[in-house]
Amino acid sequence: IEVQILADAGGEVVHLFERDCSVQRRHQKVVEAAPAAALDGALRDRLTSDAVKLARHAGYLNAGTVEFLVGPDGNYYFIEVNPRIQVEHTVTEEVTGVDLVQSQIRIAGGASLSELGLLQERIRLHGTAVQCRITTEDPKLAFQPDTGRLEVFRSAGGMGIRLDGGSGYTGAVITPDYDSLLVKVTARASERSEALRKLERAIREFRIRGVSTNIPFLLNVLQHPRFQAGQVDTGFVDDSPELLQFPRRHNR
């Protein structure tokens, strides 16, 4: 569980609630959501309060993420602070309506949180958001990065779907010299179940030919009963070999 914070030069700090990043493979995040589905309200308050206290005590400035491990007994443990915008910041933007990148730039330029209208009592959660990262990795080959030319690249869309793209377009050459991320897909809705349905539909609409992708794996994750119920932990992928069983697909 990670808490998004913003802090200005005057020592003011606010949190923008939490993100659940439990679905991981080899300690790398696969699916991220805001807010965390199975997090007790009292525990959320303690996590966010401690994140703000830590940032204020350290004299932290600008955007950052305070990361915790939360045990099944409700106890939690501090891991680290990431002093940067993270890949999964999009889900926080979608549920709070706060542009984190713009806020970061303006704070660096000397703006205070109050000048940005970022007072803690004004920051509210609106619905839920879930993000997947589509990469050029082959799940059948232990997620080995694939290379080649994108013969076809057609993306999804629709209300509540946000795409943060990288090098994905028809004709693009994927080399081994860069990150394998093609596009981040974020779905937002008033209810988590609806956001998951939107996300699954959007991922199914992608058509990517020429290189292997992790799309079959992502679909297995999104359809898994434990994931849909929000009952996953950092061992979910390792403990669920069925996530790596894929139907045969045809290039029509």
Side-chain angles (χ1 to χ4, degrees), residues 52-174:
V52 169
K53 287 179 185 177
L54 188 154
R56 186 172 286 133
H57 180 77
Y60 191 86
L61 177 62
N62 221 305
T65 306
V66 185
E67 298 195 355
F68 300 93
L69 278 175
V70 180
D73 56 0
N75 290 324
Y76 57 93
Y77 308 88
F78 170 71
I79 306 176
E80 63 179 353
V81 174
N82 273 308
R84 55 180 172 82
I85 289 287
Q86 292 193 263
V87 175
E88 60 273 14
H89 77 277
T90 60
V91 291
T92 297
E93 290 184 336
E94 291 299 309
V95 297
T96 63
V98 176
D99 186 329
L100 292 173
V101 176
Q102 183 192 73
S103 298
Q104 177 179 252
I105 294 171
R106 294 188 64 186
I107 290 172
S112 67
L113 292 175
S114 60
E115 288 173 335
L116 299 179
L118 294 175
L119 305 178
Q120 192 65 70
E121 59 270 19
R122 293 185 184 177
I123 301 173
R124 294 284 185 268
L125 286 171
H126 303 281
T128 185
V130 187
Q131 174 190 274
C132 285
R133 311 179 188 193
I134 295 180
T135 64
T136 56
E137 297 173 315
D138 191 341
K140 298 187 296 298
L141 297 177
F143 292 90
Q144 176 180 306
D146 198 10
T147 60
R149 183 181 298 275
L150 294 181
E151 300 170 359
V152 175
F153 185 89
R154 188 169 77 240
S155 60
M159 181 177 177
I161 295 296
R162 168 176 172 174
L163 304 178
D164 291 79
S167 56
Y169 58 90
T170 300
V173 176
I174 306 300

Side-chain angles (χ1 to χ4, degrees), residues 25-26 133 135-146 211-221 237 241 243-246 249:
R25 187 189 63 81
R26 296 177 183 169
R133 311 179 188 193
T135 64
T136 56
E137 297 173 315
D138 191 341
K140 298 187 296 298
L141 297 177
F143 292 90
Q144 176 180 306
D146 198 10
V211 297
S212 298
T213 72
N214 65 336
I215 284 179
F217 170 72
L218 294 177
L219 290 173
N220 282 352
V221 171
V237 173
L243 296 175
L244 297 177
Q245 298 174 3
F246 311 115
R249 301 186 67 184

Side-chain angles (χ1 to χ4, degrees), residues 205-249:
E205 287 184 355
F206 271 84
R207 291 295 180 270
I208 302 173
R209 301 289 184 264
V211 297
S212 298
T213 72
N214 65 336
I215 284 179
F217 170 72
L218 294 177
L219 290 173
N220 282 352
V221 171
L222 294 177
Q223 296 173 89
H224 198 283
R226 279 181 59 195
F227 176 79
Q228 292 186 348
Q231 301 296 328
V232 296
D233 55 31
T234 53
F236 169 60
V237 173
D238 292 335
D239 298 338
S240 306
E242 62 271 21
L243 296 175
L244 297 177
Q245 298 174 3
F246 311 115
R248 181 177 178 85
R249 301 186 67 184

